[in-house]
Amino acid sequence: MMNQLLANSHLFGANAPFIEALYEAWLKDPAAVEPRWRDYFDALQRAEGGAADVSHFDVQDRFARLARERRGAGTTVIINRPQLGEKQFAVLQLISAHRFLVVRHADIDPLKRQEKPNVPELDPAYYGLSAADMETVFNTGTLAGPREMKLADILRFVKDTYCRTIGIEYMHITDTTQKRWVQERMESIRSTPGYDAEYRRHILERLTAAETLEKYLHTRYVGQKRFSLEGGESLIPQLDVLLQNAGKTGVQELVIGMAHRGRINVLVNTLGKMPKDLFAEFEGKHDDSLLAGDVKYHQGFSSNVMTPGGPMHVTLAFNPSHLEIVNPVVEGSVRARQHRRRDHTGDQVLPVLIHGDAAFAGQGVNMETFELAQTRGYGTGGTVHIVVNNQIGFTCSDLRDARSSLYCTDVAKMLEVPVLHVNGDDPDAVCLVAEIALDYRMKFHKDVVVDLVCYRRLGHNEQDEPMVTQPLMYKTIAKLPTTRQLYADRLAQDGVIGAGGGDEMVATCRKALDGGHHTNKTILGNYKPPFEIDWSRYRGGKWNERDDTRLPIETLRMLGERITHVPDNFKLHPSVQRIVENRRQMAQGKLSLDWGMAEHLAFATLLHEGYSVRLSGQDSARGTFFHRHAVLHDQNRERWDQGTYVPLQHLGDKQGDFVVIDSLLSEEAVMGFEYGYATSAPNELTIWEAQFGDFANGAQVVIDQFIAAGESKWGRLCGLVLMLPHGYEGQGPEHSSGRIERYMQLCADHNMQVCVPATPVQLYYLLRRQMIRPFRRPLILFTPKSILRHKESVSPLEEFATDRFRPVNEDWEAKDIDPDKVKRVVFCSGKVYYDLRVERKARGLRDLPLARIAQLYPFPHEDFQAQIERYRKATEIVWCQEEPRNQGAWHRIQHYLERHLLPHQKLIYAGRDSSATPAVGYKSLHDRQQKELVELALSVGVASRADGVG
């Protein structure tokens, strides 16, 4: 029956001694165990046919007694066999309890703010053990030490391992191999660092560099914000050991994401930013090449560090003040770098995320980012997380308010990763847990969390007075020697440094700072990493230059044939079969191309030319509206993980990589990931697709702080494409609008492109143009829904080979319209164009042109002016939109339109009235509004209500 127990992962491994002891107790007396365990063991015995099992303890005791008889009499206390079984059970329970719970008693808080809680399970008496048992020898079970020990020694062993300045949480991990690895690693050394004198002096030097920089800035730039690391200086030697050991294991690139706390210190002492450059920023000097710039504690940086394994490229990602949002951005950047290196396991590129305690517990993007970690499309081989736990979030330090969980790191347990809590005032232990965390990540390619428990010596910033709200905490901090001083005293006591050795290090660091230098000797000056991207070719270009996307029609037909190929004996769903058959005819020119085929052709041509394509979002493989079908599914497949075929991955041997990902149900983390990916992969078409454009505002922080402003603030170029399904079809407030107005409001300095294609060929041009031009700015693409299958919304194959993207498109019947007879011209974008065509035909209007503006920003002034000149006798210029007046493009482009009007022309708005909601929820009301706006747009001589009012 024990074999059945062992077959369940949560019932064996490190838990096995506890479970087996329960089982033995049940064999002796079923009433001795809790009812739920009694029922469980009863059920197991019934499954075995009711045969009674034999006590394993009795068997083990027999062998132990024979061994003792052979050894002869000794000084060890031996108790009789019946007692040994019960006591042994108790000892194994006690060991297990310490692995689970003694972290509550660990000495991990430098401030010692909280009293140690009473945990009865840690008391031997809880299990019926007493002082009389302390000299008794027991089997230690899976303890990574001697097989047998006195109880007193067992207790000393587990407390040394789990209850000093390192506290470990790992028993929640269900994978036995991982759990045993952590257990063996910690118990085999009793969580005790074994650094030699030379390395401990190095740790002190790194601590000294960290502390000296903070004090130097505090006195030289009084009152200026820097978000000091004081109280958490152990982060700097911890990062040092992490980088050096990572290089030793073969890591060649390391990307760090962190917030503002301690960032300046990391910039200088870890990445090697020259202090003289930092001082210049404090003194108001800035990079004139940036349009806006950002504060110094948001800046990113890259450098090259020498490690025992060779040079390593280290990057600190730029980030905004919005806490934790940089995390998925870093993960995306790492994934792109891994793809560039063909590093499929994550052995060459390592992400490191540094968190604050309050933000780690409070920001939901952490949960989303954790859920990305082990997925096929977003995994990076594991992340090393370091929480700089200064035990306060701005002014909130009362745990009754700060969070509901016991530890700020508890969110990480959802991923079943180890959490290593460490006292920041024990730098040796801090470095040890960094080594262990890295080794775990490199072995298992999973995330791991280090909780660096420290404190914040100053306020939230240097202008803040923390005594106002935390008087008790800051009285304690005021009396506390710095981490550097404590460590220097310890090294002097251990004979590692002489008297005054610590002060000499301070003087050396200060002298370097006076000269504008740092003391990090691992920084390489003129090294060029082998996989570095040259971004210079993408700078300084214009959106409408070098945008010829044409290819020979023979190439299009060849690729069209390949993307409609289906393997033999691969059975498609009948609906998909019809789609593929129609696409074959489109590739042959027998049918005009619909949106799904146009998109596929755009991807295929880019892949054929060597570009890679990455598309992710919710339901992106099939397409929310059943239009894409990038992944085909064999209806006869017999295994859940087989029977798929991706035609775009089978174009040719030299093609680029095509990846399409059905993402988890996240907007914020996934969009942030794709932004990070795009900033590191200018030669890949990177697309994030919303299920409906309405849902993109779940990632508004990414849009506002990164996509719209990243180049202006940090000089970060990014060619990310956002596909936002948009269109008013009566589906209610959350399934109608991608919120064009929000993106238009963010537009300035040609920071991004906002486009609303109305035909498949326009989509084809836009996607190809995004890669073909040496121009990398985000493309906000409002894609269709209902017109995906509109009979008029198709494009002939010849048009794909002979034309290019036109930001303003004249009326399809322009050749039949006499410009001299035109009194009104209607401009619009997207789906409403087809509604206007239907109504114009129904009315028999011949001299009322409908022009489409496919690119709203950068606004195509010359193309729009050409239409105004063509119909210069018109007196009414109409902008028609489906969105309410206070939404859509109207407010943003109104002044653009007016700029080009002739003196006798008037601008008229035709659309819904201003509204607090994007769309109505009643289909009948939607239909009435749609009818009214179309009628208004086509009624010559009729102006909109409250015309000219915003």
Side-chain angles (χ1 to χ4, degrees), residues 176-300:
T176 304
T177 302
Q178 295 174 31
K179 185 156 48 181
R180 285 236 176 116
W181 185 93
V182 177
Q183 186 175 302
E184 173 68 26
R185 185 66 185 273
M186 303 307 296
E187 292 179 356
S188 63
I189 60 172
R190 300 197 186 191
S191 300
T192 303
Y195 300 124
D196 60 24
E198 181 181 358
Y199 193 75
R200 297 183 80 192
R201 284 191 290 270
H202 173 70
I203 293 174
L204 178 60
E205 187 279 329
R206 292 286 77 207
L207 270 178
T208 303
E211 181 185 289
T212 305
L213 176 64
E214 295 293 356
K215 291 186 173 181
Y216 191 93
L217 294 175
H218 195 64
T219 55
R220 182 167 175 173
Y221 301 104
V222 179
Q224 286 206 43
K225 286 184 180 181
R226 69 180 192 278
F227 295 97
S228 163
L229 185 59
E230 290 174 84
E233 295 96 336
S234 288
L235 175 67
I236 299 303
Q238 186 173 63
L239 286 175
D240 179 79
V241 71
L242 184 64
L243 266 62
Q244 293 301 310
N245 282 29
K248 190 186 303 183
T249 65
V251 173
Q252 298 177 44
E253 285 193 73
L254 188 145
V255 185
I256 302 173
M258 69 180 299
H260 44 276
R261 176 74 54 207
R263 188 181 186 89
I264 288 175
N265 214 309
V266 171
L267 280 167
V268 172
N269 286 314
T270 301
L271 281 92
K273 181 173 183 174
M274 279 297 175
K276 63 181 180 181
D277 297 330
L278 175 66
F279 301 157
E281 294 173 6
F282 271 95
E283 291 160 9
K285 299 173 185 177
H286 60 270
D287 185 350
D288 293 329
S289 66
L290 297 177
L291 291 171
D294 203 350
V295 293
K296 49 193 169 291
Y297 41 83
H298 288 171
Q299 297 300 325

Side-chain angles (χ1 to χ4, degrees), residues 403-527:
R403 58 182 179 268
S404 297
S405 60
L406 180 59
Y407 297 107
C408 65
T409 53
D410 283 348
V411 64
K413 292 180 183 176
M414 63 184 285
L415 212 60
E416 293 197 9
V417 301
V419 179
L420 305 163
H421 306 275
V422 62
N423 189 319
D425 270 355
D426 185 352
D428 289 340
V430 168
C431 292
L432 175 63
V433 298
E435 289 186 15
I436 294 169
L438 176 68
D439 291 347
Y440 178 88
R441 186 274 179 190
M442 299 305 293
K443 181 172 181 61
F444 297 109
H445 294 99
K446 288 189 64 177
D447 289 42
V448 60
V449 178
V450 173
D451 180 19
L452 178 60
V453 185
C454 51
Y455 56 92
R456 191 186 70 193
R457 188 165 286 275
L458 304 177
H460 176 68
N461 60 60
E462 288 62 39
Q463 301 167 5
D464 185 40
E465 175 49 76
M467 286 288 288
V468 173
T469 51
Q470 272 76 31
L472 182 61
M473 173 187 276
Y474 276 85
K475 284 178 184 177
T476 302
I477 291 173
K479 298 174 183 176
L480 199 64
T482 66
T483 305
R484 185 205 65 81
Q485 185 61 59
L486 289 170
Y487 192 60
D489 292 345
R490 191 181 312 155
L491 295 193
Q493 183 179 354
D494 294 345
V496 175
I497 61 173
D503 294 335
E504 291 174 6
M505 286 188 182
V506 172
T508 300
C509 288
R510 189 167 187 87
K511 183 178 179 181
L513 291 174
D514 285 337
H517 307 292
H518 54 71
T519 59
N520 189 338
K521 296 180 176 61
T522 66
I523 304 300
L524 299 173
N526 298 312
Y527 176 75

Side-chain angles (χ1 to χ4, degrees), residues 101-119:
L101 301 171
V102 82
V103 64
R104 302 285 303 277
H105 285 178
D107 181 21
I108 57 176
D109 180 7
L111 303 182
K112 297 177 171 50
R113 296 175 59 217
Q114 304 287 336
E115 294 182 4
K116 302 300 181 186
N118 177 35
V119 184

